[in-house]
Amino acid sequence: MKQESIPNPNLIFPIKNLDSITYVKTSIKNPNIIVGDFTYFADKDFEKHVTHLYEWNGDKLIIGKFCQIAAGVEFIMNGANH
């Protein structure tokens, strides 16, 4: 495989002219969400799909390096447990 054919994990949109698939790692801002380089999401704005992730309880969402996350998936964190 030629080096130039490998997707760049630092881009938000890994496929040229397709904005419905995003690499998660480059789009997140919350330090409690940790995602591997090539994990992608079939939607935009991954963080809005992570609910009840509060700084005060120390939760972290950790997702591996080569995962595919479907559109419509919601991550409900421990802060919802009350």
Side-chain angles (χ1 to χ4, degrees):
M1 180 181 279
K2 292 181 180 180
Q3 181 66 26
E4 57 270 2
S5 66
I6 298 172
N8 182 347
N10 297 315
L11 298 175
I12 291 178
F13 304 109
I15 302 171
K16 188 177 180 177
N17 300 320
L18 181 64
D19 65 354
S20 61
I21 301 290
T22 59
Y23 275 152
V24 177
K25 181 179 179 178
T26 55
S27 67
I28 58 175
K29 294 173 182 55
N30 189 324
N32 290 335
I33 301 174
I34 302 165
V35 180
D37 285 343
F38 296 99
T39 291
Y40 63 98
F41 181 47
D43 202 346
K44 297 177 186 174
D45 196 4
F46 178 79
E47 285 188 64
K48 84 173 188 182
H49 295 275
V50 180
T51 61
H52 306 287
L53 180 58
Y54 305 116
E55 289 183 27
W56 52 264
N57 67 1
D59 281 350
K60 290 190 183 290
L61 174 61
I62 302 172
I63 300 173
K65 190 171 182 174
F66 294 101
C67 299
Q68 191 277 333
I69 302 168
V73 168
E74 297 290 327
F75 292 88
I76 303 170
M77 302 302 291
N78 189 47
N81 185 16
H82 54 280

